[in-house]
Amino acid sequence: SSVFDVPICLVSLLDSDRQWFKSHPGLNCSSTCRNVAFCNLTQHPDADRVTVIHPLQDARFKDNPLVTGYPRIRFYAGAPLIVDKAKNLSVGSFCVIDTKERQNLTEKEKTQLIHFAAL
């Protein structure tokens, strides 16, 4: 999380119903329901990186309980955890979350996000 200057950094795995956090510094829970997961956006076949800069102003997320309640997400950036490039198969995401509004990631941070997801 210090690389991106954010309080929350997650490695999440997705199943049909839940988002499981395998690493979750800065977050006091180990899973959420998949229907509220920002990380769902990273699972689209053409997504290499997803950023949500103002979730309170984004129709997809403004009523999301992760925005309106704990942890009060105000910025999200994530990249898919691709396990099979040929099949474009992803099992989750690496993401960074801020609880205060901020601008987009720098170009260097965008590259680092994708590299962390590829580890």
Side-chain angles (χ1 to χ4, degrees):
S1 60
S2 63
V3 170
F4 298 95
D5 192 28
V6 295
I8 302 168
C9 184
L10 307 173
V11 173
S12 69
L13 300 178
L14 299 168
D15 67 21
S16 60
D17 301 317
R18 299 201 66 74
Q19 169 180 237
W20 301 93
F21 306 128
K22 301 322 276 174
S23 176
H24 50 94
L27 190 64
N28 294 327
C29 66
S30 59
S31 71
T32 64
C33 293
R34 180 149 181 191
N35 65 340
V36 299
F38 278 62
C39 295
N40 282 326
L41 294 177
T42 66
Q43 301 307 295
H44 293 277
D46 56 349
D48 69 340
R49 182 186 69 252
V50 174
T51 305
V52 180
I53 296 176
H54 298 291
L56 280 171
Q57 299 169 12
D58 188 315
R60 299 169 297 175
F61 298 106
K62 68 180 184 173
D63 296 322
N64 185 304
L66 301 174
V67 173
T68 60
Y70 178 80
R72 304 185 60 76
I73 295 173
R74 296 298 178 263
F75 175 86
Y76 169 90
L81 299 176
I82 297 173
V83 293
D84 186 334
K85 281 191 176 203
K87 295 179 182 177
N88 202 20
L89 178 62
S90 173
V91 295
S93 71
F94 172 80
C95 65
V96 295
I97 296 171
D98 208 330
T99 55
K100 63 182 189 290
E101 289 188 9
R102 63 179 283 169
Q103 295 303 310
N104 205 348
L105 299 175
T106 65
E107 290 304 313
K108 180 180 178 182
E109 289 171 326
K110 290 175 186 177
T111 300
Q112 289 173 314
L113 185 76
I114 293 169
H115 286 189
F116 276 111
L119 293 178

